[in-house]
Amino acid sequence: MSEPFSVPVTVRGYETDVQGHLNQSVYLNYAEHARWSLLKAAGITQAELIGSGVGPVALETTIRYLRELLAGDEVEVTCAFEWGEGKTFRIRQTIRKKDGTVAAEITAVGGLMDLKERRLVANANEVLKGLATDPGLL
């Protein structure tokens, strides 16, 4: 896949701070929305994850704020998984305005937790792709 998965979002007025900028915590909500949208597009629901005995966990998140976002701004939030050899994986995301300006870059480290053992599974990539109806998105 040449372009990463993305979802459109419009900044709502109640999400802004006193200066009229998108509140810093809302960037995380947008990133989370894009991640769950990608999983849904790949054919994985929250219920299926829980039913299979695993759940996603966030281990680290870094946000680089590059340009302000204001109420009414329309953005695209991308999401791309990067799989490695260990128990964790990276998710790279970009929040981009319609004119192409990058407003923020988000990098997260996550894993899949075995809900009974309360430990990360060793093969998150295989587990997620095994649950997906369209594993190519992952």
Side-chain angles (χ1 to χ4, degrees), residues 73-94:
D73 282 347
E74 296 179 4
V75 298
E76 291 287 327
V77 184
T78 67
C79 185
F81 283 84
E82 293 179 355
W83 304 102
E85 297 296 320
K87 295 180 180 181
T88 63
F89 51 85
R90 289 196 182 282
I91 303 170
R92 297 216 185 264
Q93 298 183 263
T94 301

Side-chain angles (χ1 to χ4, degrees), residues 1-59:
M1 199 163 84
S2 59
E3 290 294 317
F5 179 86
S6 69
V7 294
V9 176
T10 300
V11 176
R12 295 162 291 251
Y14 64 82
E15 297 173 322
T16 59
D17 61 19
V18 185
Q19 293 87 8
H21 302 133
L22 184 65
N23 182 279
Q24 63 180 342
S25 66
V26 180
Y27 287 83
L28 293 173
N29 291 336
Y30 289 4
E32 186 79 3
H33 172 64
R35 289 193 293 267
W36 280 108
S37 295
L38 171 53
L39 291 176
K40 182 179 177 185
I44 302 171
T45 66
Q46 287 179 328
E48 289 169 326
L49 275 173
I50 300 303
S52 70
V54 297
V57 292
L59 303 170

Side-chain angles (χ1 to χ4, degrees), residues 59-129:
L59 303 170
E60 175 183 311
T61 304
T62 303
I63 304 172
R64 291 187 64 223
Y65 303 100
L66 301 167
R67 293 289 183 271
E68 66 183 358
L69 290 175
L70 306 172
D73 282 347
E74 296 179 4
V75 298
E76 291 287 327
V77 184
T78 67
C79 185
F81 283 84
E82 293 179 355
W83 304 102
E85 297 296 320
K87 295 180 180 181
T88 63
F89 51 85
R90 289 196 182 282
I91 303 170
R92 297 216 185 264
Q93 298 183 263
T94 301
I95 300 177
R96 183 176 285 114
K97 294 180 178 188
K98 287 288 185 182
D99 68 3
T101 302
V102 175
E105 297 173 336
I106 302 164
T107 304
V109 176
L112 280 182
M113 180 184 289
D114 180 307
L115 298 176
K116 287 185 183 177
E117 297 293 322
R118 308 307 287 179
R119 298 190 185 281
L120 293 179
V121 300
N123 54 349
N125 183 5
E126 293 173 23
V127 172
L128 279 180
K129 287 185 177 183

